[in-house]
């Protein structure tokens, strides 16, 4: 049974929400950051990176303390306010092509450790430790873990009805996204939602594995909770039918000392290779791969489709690694090898063409997206997907809700 928790969120005042909320720090160019930090005193970027001018001169623990201090400043200046009692939120993100709607709530580390909450991605220890230190010093998080739950018709109906009420926020961003947030503060509705999720056997982390792992590490280091942490994590709960899964495409710097002709001949041993020339071709089904090489697009189709009960061996990302990236291009560690980079599938394949044409990369590969059932099978069997198998939307705005721990 899954347990969800209401919480006392800290959030911008209604008049400042569009000025406070921001994308992740890494999403901005240097010019964009400089402009926002110089001309928007309300941007939550001031909280997240108060030492942005000379970050290399500030130790991580000092920077995290500065983050905590800046959050207090925002609260003192009434840029941010705290709810009067623990509640839930309903949050909708409307992009150019999709509408995502889900419930923001706390989920427990107990469920995480008892495998009620399941994962499908590996984590990097140094990133987990770094974010654990951030949580310990700053005492808050503003980016919820994206969590999938099995589609529930009664919850869907409730959401549709609740959306008819007046939201506390409804604003658009320069990325042409519309963000709408409702407070769920009625005790009866909070209790009903808790009871509905108690009937859910499993939930799946879609995005945010490091955040959950960091909170868990912090709790394990302080089992008596002497530092006063809240042993739960802010989560954006969304029906598995409402998420959007993109592939991560691969671009490689070189052909591992093969000539173009040698490389194509090696591919021909395993694939039907069709030159699509200038057609912007992407795979349309599993076990197909697109390739861009030396000015031409290619369709690669496995000559013999794999017949195996091994869940990982059925994944296109694993097949590409087993048949091409490792044996032909000599790539071993897909997470750390400097010869390979990744382009999320929500970007046009023209991006791959341009990067290869510029000469920095020799070849690009386009994959067919993983689906929800594949993610669940991997998680249910306590397995880990190959690195960069999925790019999942929606993405949350920073500073929209703050979860104090």
């Amino acid at each position: 049974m899954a347990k969800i928790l209401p919480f006392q969120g800290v959030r911008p005042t209604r008049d400042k929400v569009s000025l406070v909320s921001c994308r992740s720090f890494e999403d901005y160019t240097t010019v964009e950051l400089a402009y926002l930090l110089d001309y928007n005193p309300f941007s939550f970027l001031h909280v997240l990176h108060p030492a942005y001018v000379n970050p290399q001169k500030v130790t991580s623990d000092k920077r995290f303390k500065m983050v905590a201090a800046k959050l207090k400043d925002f609260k003192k200046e009434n840029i941010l306010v705290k709810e009067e009692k623990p509640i839930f939120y309903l949050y909708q993100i409307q992009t150019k092509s999709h509408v995502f709607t889900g419930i923001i709530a706390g989920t427990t580390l107990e469920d995480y450790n008892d495998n009620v909450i399941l994962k499908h991605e590996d984590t990097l220890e140094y990133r987990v430790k770094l974010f654990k230190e951030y949580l310990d010093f700053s005492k808050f998080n503003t980016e919820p873990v994206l969590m999938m739950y099995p589609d529930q018709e009664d919850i869907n109906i409730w959401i549709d009805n609740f959306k008819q009420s007046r939201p506390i926020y409804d604003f658009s961003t320069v990325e042409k996204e519309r963000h709408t947030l409702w407070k769920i503060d009625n005790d009866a509705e909070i209790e009903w939602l808790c009871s509905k999720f108690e009937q859910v056997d499993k939930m799946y982390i879609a995005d945010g594995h490091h955040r959950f792992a960091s909170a868990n590490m912090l709790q394990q280091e302080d089992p008596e909770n002497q530092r006063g942490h809240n042993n739960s994590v802010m989560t954006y709960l969304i029906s598995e039918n409402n998420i959007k899964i993109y592939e991560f495409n691969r671009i490689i710097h070189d052909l591992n000392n093969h000539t173009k002709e040698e490389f194509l001949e090696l591919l021909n041993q395993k694939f039907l290779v069709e030159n699509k020339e200038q057609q912007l071709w992407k795979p349309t089904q599993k076990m197909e791969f697109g390739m861009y090489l030396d000015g031409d697009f290619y369709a690669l189709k496995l000559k013999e489709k794999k017949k195996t009960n091994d869940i990982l061996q059925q994944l296109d990302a694993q097949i590409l690694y087993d048949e091409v990236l490792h044996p032909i291009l000599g790539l071993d560690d897909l997470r750390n090898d400097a010869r390979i980079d990744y382009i999320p599938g929500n970007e046009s394949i023209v991006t791959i063409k341009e990067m290869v044409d510029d000469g920095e990369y020799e070849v690009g590969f386009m994959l067919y997206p993983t689906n929800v059932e594949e993610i669940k099978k991997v998680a249910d069997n306590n397995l880990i997907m190959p690195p960069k198998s999925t790019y999942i939307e929606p993405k949350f705005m920073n500073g929209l809700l703050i979860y104090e721990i």
Side-chain angles (χ1 to χ4, degrees):
M1 298 191 305
K3 185 176 183 180
I4 63 172
L5 305 171
F7 66 98
Q8 282 183 275
V10 176
R11 58 182 178 81
T13 56
R14 185 193 295 266
D15 63 308
K16 297 182 180 68
V17 61
S18 62
L19 295 170
V20 173
S21 56
C22 61
R23 307 195 307 274
S24 296
F25 187 83
E26 296 80 7
D27 289 348
Y28 294 97
T29 66
T30 303
V31 173
E32 288 175 321
L33 281 173
Y35 179 83
L36 287 169
L37 291 166
D38 285 343
Y39 295 103
N40 181 3
F42 302 112
S43 175
F44 203 72
L45 291 169
H46 290 286
V47 177
L48 294 176
H49 287 269
Y52 80 99
V53 175
N54 294 302
Q56 70 277 5
K57 297 181 181 180
V58 179
T59 60
S60 59
D61 58 344
K62 185 176 180 179
R63 181 165 63 86
F64 296 156
K65 290 177 181 177
M66 293 169 66
V67 168
K70 195 64 178 177
L71 180 71
K72 290 181 180 178
D73 289 345
F74 267 45
K75 292 167 71 175
K76 287 179 181 178
E77 295 170 10
N78 289 321
I79 299 171
L80 301 173
V81 294
K82 189 169 185 175
E83 301 291 355
E84 295 180 354
K85 68 172 189 176
I87 64 173
F88 294 137
Y89 299 88
L90 183 67
Y91 179 39
Q92 180 173 285
I93 305 170
Q94 183 175 347
T95 68
K96 297 175 184 177
S97 59
H98 205 84
V99 177
F100 305 97
T101 310
I103 297 162
I104 302 175
T107 52
T108 69
L109 296 174
E110 181 181 5
D111 280 354
Y112 179 78
N113 289 305
D114 289 345
N115 288 327
V116 175
I117 294 172
L118 298 174
K119 52 187 179 292
H120 68 272
E121 286 186 6
D122 203 359
T123 54
L124 296 174
E125 186 176 3
Y126 83 91
R127 285 187 60 191
V128 173
K129 287 182 176 179
L130 183 64
F131 194 69
K132 183 265 296 183
E133 295 298 323
Y134 165 83
L135 291 175
D136 199 13
F137 281 107
S138 70
K139 300 293 191 294
F140 79 88
N141 182 31
T142 185
E143 192 172 359
V145 172
L146 182 63
M147 188 86 69
M148 301 187 299
Y149 64 87
D151 192 57
Q152 307 284 324
E153 183 61 26
D154 47 358
I155 295 180
N156 293 341
I157 293 172
W158 178 87
I159 287 174
D160 287 340
N161 290 333
F162 197 85
K163 284 164 60 175
Q164 305 307 310
S165 61
R166 184 173 183 251
I168 55 173
Y169 302 144
D170 188 4
F171 66 98
S172 296
T173 68
V174 295
E175 290 78 32
K176 298 183 178 180
E177 292 183 351
R178 183 177 177 182
H179 297 261
T180 312
L181 187 77
W182 294 262
K183 287 170 61 170
I184 308 171
D185 55 4
N186 179 276
D187 291 341
E189 290 183 301
I190 290 173
E191 183 177 348
W192 183 82
L193 284 171
C194 288
S195 69
K196 296 307 298 182
F197 277 91
E198 285 178 355
Q199 300 171 28
V200 174
D201 293 330
K202 297 176 184 177
M203 298 194 296
Y204 299 83
I205 298 176
D207 188 28
H209 290 77
H210 285 86
R211 275 164 269 157
F212 231 117
S214 298
N216 195 51
M217 179 183 286
L218 184 60
Q219 190 274 335
Q220 290 176 345
E221 290 184 0
D222 184 25
E224 302 298 324
N225 203 20
Q226 296 180 5
R227 288 177 279 187
H229 296 115
N230 178 5
N231 293 328
S232 58
V233 175
M234 180 167 65
T235 311
Y236 186 29
L237 300 159
I238 192 165
S239 164
E240 62 187 34
N241 293 337
N242 193 215
I243 68 165
K244 177 64 178 176
I245 305 175
Y246 294 95
E247 73 282 6
F248 259 114
N249 297 313
R250 281 86 163 107
I251 49 175
I252 295 92
H253 284 279
D254 61 73
L255 297 181
N256 195 28
N257 294 320
H258 296 299
T259 65
K260 173 186 173 181
E261 291 71 26
E262 290 171 341
F263 179 58
L264 289 173
E265 181 58 35
L266 290 168
L267 289 177
N268 269 300
Q269 296 175 15
K270 293 284 185 174
F271 297 90
L272 296 172
V273 181
E274 182 182 356
N275 190 338
K276 296 289 186 177
E277 298 180 346
Q278 296 303 301
Q279 179 184 346
L280 298 175
W281 192 87
K282 292 180 66 174
T284 58
Q285 59 184 345
K286 283 183 59 60
M287 298 189 187
E288 287 185 349
F289 304 89
M291 182 177 73
Y292 184 71
L293 172 69
D294 193 28
D296 287 332
F297 285 91
Y298 293 82
L300 309 180
K301 300 181 182 181
L302 274 176
K303 291 181 177 178
E304 294 185 14
K305 292 189 176 182
K306 289 198 171 188
K307 297 179 181 179
T308 175
N309 293 323
D310 188 317
I311 298 165
L312 293 179
Q313 295 297 321
Q314 298 172 19
L315 300 176
D316 282 6
Q318 188 66 44
I319 293 171
L320 184 67
Y321 176 78
D322 290 341
E323 304 295 349
V324 181
L325 301 185
H326 179 58
I328 300 177
L329 294 177
L331 293 162
D332 294 317
D333 185 353
L334 295 184
R335 190 180 294 277
N336 299 305
D337 198 314
R339 294 173 56 219
I340 186 170
D341 286 306
Y342 302 89
I343 306 295
N346 63 341
E347 292 192 28
S348 169
I349 61 173
V350 173
T351 302
I352 295 175
K353 178 182 185 303
E354 291 173 345
M355 295 177 79
V356 172
D357 287 346
D358 286 344
E360 184 179 355
Y361 299 89
E362 285 285 334
V363 62
F365 293 96
M366 288 72 76
L367 285 74
Y368 190 73
T370 301
N371 60 49
V372 167
E373 291 306 314
E374 288 175 322
I375 291 176
K376 291 169 64 176
K377 283 182 181 179
V378 169
D380 287 342
N381 286 274
N382 198 30
L383 298 171
I384 299 298
M385 283 188 155
K388 297 292 185 181
S389 291
T390 57
Y391 180 86
I392 299 179
E393 289 183 344
K395 301 298 183 184
F396 202 80
M397 295 287 286
N398 285 285
L400 188 66
L401 276 176
I402 293 94
Y403 192 80
E404 294 184 314
I405 64 170

